[in-house]
């Protein structure tokens, strides 16, 4: 999980959630600063790295952008083994994706590392006219489960930077 004792930390970050919630778009927004309207669906898992500096500490994220996990009804342990942080994404315009996010969180709580920094992310807030999951529902669930909560848009970039910086901060505190 942690690469070094000095000011450089390497942290595995796994991104989970239902297909189409915007996991890949979110990661690409963070890593490349761009949004692609016709994002090709990810096959298997994609891997990205990005560095975030928190004060004098450099956090190098190894990001595992998962796909297709829905089919297996449970997450392959390789995804969360050694992970320092997990982002669980749902789409605010899709209630089913919120229910699925809860399932991922239950699984992480059961099998993940007890110090895993876990964040619940409500994505696609630019589509709030089509919202099916109220802010309060997401917030409340996060609170009850001791998770951080963010509302984001990979499309407009709203809160994306803050999301990853908050995770980096938390990871630095945990090590
Ligand atoms: P993934 O399957 O979770 O990796 O989802 P993708 O990143 O492939 O996104 C699925 C679709 O939703 C694509 O057409 C994206 O362009 C779109 N999308 C992703 N994030 C957002 C967002 O924040 N707002 C809007 N309006 N569309 C989004
Ligand atoms: Mg994807």
């Amino acid at each position: 999980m942690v690469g070094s004792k000095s000011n450089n930390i390497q942290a595995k970050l796994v991104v989970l959630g239902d297909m189409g919630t915007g996991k890949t778009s979110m990661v690409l927004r963070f890593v490349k600063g761009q949004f692609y309207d016709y994002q090709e669906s990810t096959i298997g898992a994609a891997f990205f790295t990005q560095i975030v500096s928190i004060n004098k500490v450099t956090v190098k994220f190894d990001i595992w952008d998962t796909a297709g996990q829905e089919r297996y009804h449970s997450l392959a342990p390789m995804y969360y083994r050694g992970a320092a942080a997990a982002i669980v994404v749902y789409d605010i315009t899709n209630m089913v994706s919120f229910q699925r996010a809860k399932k991922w969180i239950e699984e992480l709580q059961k099998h993940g590392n007890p110090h895993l920094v876990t964040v619940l992310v409500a994505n696609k807030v630019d589509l709030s006219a089509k919202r099916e999951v109220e802010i309060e529902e997401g917030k409340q669930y996060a609170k009850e489960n001791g998770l951080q909560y963010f509302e984001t848009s990979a499309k407009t970039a709203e809160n994306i930077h803050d999301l990853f910086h908050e995770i980096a901060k938390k990871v630095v505190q945990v090590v």
Side-chain angles (χ1 to χ4, degrees):
M1 159 170 47
V2 177
S4 140
K5 57 181 168 17
S6 70
N7 285 345
N8 296 308
I9 291 173
Q10 190 163 354
K12 177 176 169 182
L13 168 62
V14 61
V15 186
L16 304 168
D18 222 353
M19 194 190 283
T21 52
K23 299 181 295 298
T24 301
S25 300
M26 192 173 286
V27 172
L28 290 176
R29 170 58 84 186
F30 172 55
V31 173
K32 300 191 193 289
Q34 286 180 41
F35 179 76
Y36 307 85
D37 262 310
Y38 300 102
Q39 180 57 46
E40 276 181 41
S41 35
T42 316
I43 298 169
F47 182 77
F48 302 86
T49 63
Q50 178 67 301
I51 291 173
V52 174
S53 295
I54 298 293
N55 300 323
K56 288 182 180 142
V57 183
T58 301
V59 179
K60 179 170 172 269
F61 280 121
D62 289 334
I63 307 173
W64 294 48
D65 171 24
T66 65
Q69 291 304 304
E70 305 80 22
R71 255 181 288 156
Y72 307 110
H73 302 293
S74 74
L75 190 58
M78 63 172 283
Y79 288 114
Y80 50 78
R81 190 176 297 139
I87 295 178
V88 181
V89 185
Y90 64 92
D91 168 353
I92 64 153
T93 71
N94 180 341
M95 181 56 86
V96 172
S97 74
F98 179 54
Q99 306 302 346
R100 299 288 269 271
K102 294 181 186 177
K103 294 278 175 225
W104 293 127
I105 286 162
E106 283 167 24
E107 182 159 351
L108 288 174
Q109 288 175 339
K110 238 192 244 164
H111 302 293
N113 136 36
H115 302 292
L116 188 72
V117 172
T118 309
V119 185
L120 181 63
V121 174
N123 190 43
K124 307 198 187 180
V125 291
D126 58 290
L127 300 179
S128 61
K130 292 199 267 173
R131 184 187 273 279
E132 288 185 2
V133 188
E134 293 308 322
I135 296 176
E136 267 321 306
E137 281 180 86
K139 250 192 198 164
Q140 183 63 27
Y141 181 81
K143 196 174 162 194
E144 285 166 8
N145 288 275
L147 313 170
Q148 300 263 112
Y149 173 77
F150 276 86
E151 294 237 325
T152 62
S153 168
K155 185 166 184 168
T156 68
E158 183 175 342
N159 264 342
I160 297 290
H161 177 271
D162 288 357
L163 164 67
F164 286 93
H165 274 253
E166 187 59 32
I167 294 169
K169 254 198 236 164
K170 281 273 158 15
V171 166
V172 170
Q173 285 168 11
V174 169
V175 292

